[in-house]
Amino acid sequence: MVRAVKHVDEAVVDTTLEKIEAGRQVGFHRLFRGDDWRGTARGKQWGRDFAAIGVEVVCLPYAAHVSSTSLRRIVSVLAATNRH
């Protein structure tokens, strides 16, 4: 879905919470997170860490009816299917 957005240059699947390392490896300019992370210790730390490497953290409205766990499962199944 993300790749289909006109303004997206590249979409990368990342399965770890080590976003700073991913930022360094991939070289992205923005990290999009749900705003449920806003104000949390990890969210604040990410804000500081990413600011230090020039990455903007953009908080999107939290969607209570969307399960990120379910989305990860779907992505895993699709990725496994595409490998065969």
Side-chain angles (χ1 to χ4, degrees):
M1 287 186 287
V2 174
R3 285 185 179 112
V5 175
K6 179 171 85 172
H7 301 289
V8 172
D9 296 323
E10 182 180 6
V12 178
V13 176
D14 181 34
T15 58
T16 178
L17 289 176
E18 301 304 323
K19 305 303 180 203
I20 289 295
E21 188 57 35
R24 288 186 181 114
Q25 289 177 7
V26 176
F28 54 78
H29 304 331
R30 286 180 193 84
L31 174 72
F32 296 91
R33 297 295 312 174
D35 66 1
D36 54 322
W37 286 90
R38 190 184 315 245
T40 66
R42 179 169 279 163
K44 289 176 184 177
Q45 187 63 51
W46 278 350
R48 289 188 296 271
D49 293 347
F50 279 110
I53 62 170
V55 173
E56 176 187 10
V57 177
V58 179
C59 292
L60 302 173
Y62 176 69
H65 61 282
V66 176
S67 166
S68 58
T69 301
S70 294
L71 291 172
R72 281 189 208 92
R73 284 186 192 129
I74 291 167
V75 168
S76 293
V77 168
L78 291 173
T81 301
N82 287 333
R83 281 182 260 193
H84 299 294

